[in-house]
Amino acid sequence: MKGIFLTIEGLDGAGKTTQLGLLRDWFWEKGYDPLFTREPGGTRLGDGVRELLLSREYTGLVPLTEAFLYAASRAQLVAEVIVPALKAGRPVVCDRFVDSSIAYQGYGRGLPRDFLEGINRRATGDLEPHLTLLLDLNPALRLRRLAQEGVPRDRLEVEGDAFYTRVREGYLSLARENPRRIKVISAQQSVQAVHGQIVQQVVELFRKRTPCPKRRF
């Protein structure tokens, strides 16, 4: 596939939404035609799954069900959206991917990692990002940031600090295992400082690979 696949990971409150917006603007300024998508969601089916997963009405959702729902949404997104865009040579940027399942359902919920990796290999067809940007945030700052956003917290966001400490440990463990793919960026810096480091990593990736075709005006 000709396109470049990037993912952004991190705890809720790490600033992913802000950084995705800045990165989208950067791509457009450089003349690229990127596809931005998110998990869970990104397709009609995925958006329905997202509503189920994040609704606080479903407090009894067991970890196994949660893992299968994420994998189902991911399978549809990969087949319907991500792979066609990569085959067309477009840069694809996804808000969360398989690393989220390992961190949240594995380290956070305690499901076996080999099980999660197995169902997600099938869901993605072994698709792996060329670059993952991990916005690292101390869980103690998470609630403060979410409160500043002034929006109701979803089913996962109401989890306590102990859960998010495990999730963060999972992310950092994955980064240590995959230093070439996963780049850790402190989310406790200024917005512009984080953006600058993201751009630096993306530019470096483009230097290593055949550049994606730019837009035709």
Side-chain angles (χ1 to χ4, degrees), residues 104-215:
Y104 279 79
Q105 282 73 57
Y107 285 82
R109 302 292 194 206
L111 290 177
R113 180 166 169 178
D114 58 349
F115 162 74
L116 292 169
E117 290 175 343
I119 63 172
N120 279 287
R121 277 196 300 271
R122 289 182 176 275
T124 65
D126 289 320
L127 178 66
E128 185 174 87
H130 297 106
L131 173 66
T132 297
L133 302 161
L134 172 57
L135 305 188
D136 180 44
L137 180 69
N138 188 321
L141 300 176
R142 184 183 62 88
L143 289 178
R144 187 187 312 168
R145 289 196 173 188
L146 292 174
Q148 290 173 350
E149 294 175 2
V151 295
R153 287 183 284 160
D154 63 38
R155 189 181 62 86
L156 283 174
E157 290 171 345
V158 298
E159 292 284 354
D161 284 349
F163 173 80
Y164 277 98
T165 296
R166 295 194 300 272
V167 172
R168 184 195 189 196
E169 290 172 353
Y171 271 132
L172 293 177
S173 179
L174 287 168
R176 288 191 294 269
E177 294 172 16
N178 302 276
R180 296 183 65 181
R181 174 175 68 85
I182 303 177
K183 305 301 179 181
V184 181
I185 298 173
S186 173
Q188 294 171 215
Q189 307 173 86
S190 70
V191 170
Q192 287 304 321
V194 174
H195 174 62
Q197 291 181 35
I198 287 175
V199 167
Q200 181 181 358
Q201 293 294 339
V202 173
V203 168
E204 183 63 25
L205 174 64
F206 272 48
R207 286 179 181 152
K208 294 176 182 177
R209 296 181 56 84
T210 303
C212 296
K214 295 189 176 183
R215 298 196 309 271

Side-chain angles (χ1 to χ4, degrees), residues 26-38:
W26 180 85
F27 270 113
W28 277 92
E29 288 170 2
K30 298 301 179 183
Y32 292 99
D33 182 22
L35 171 71
F36 278 70
T37 188
R38 69 178 183 178

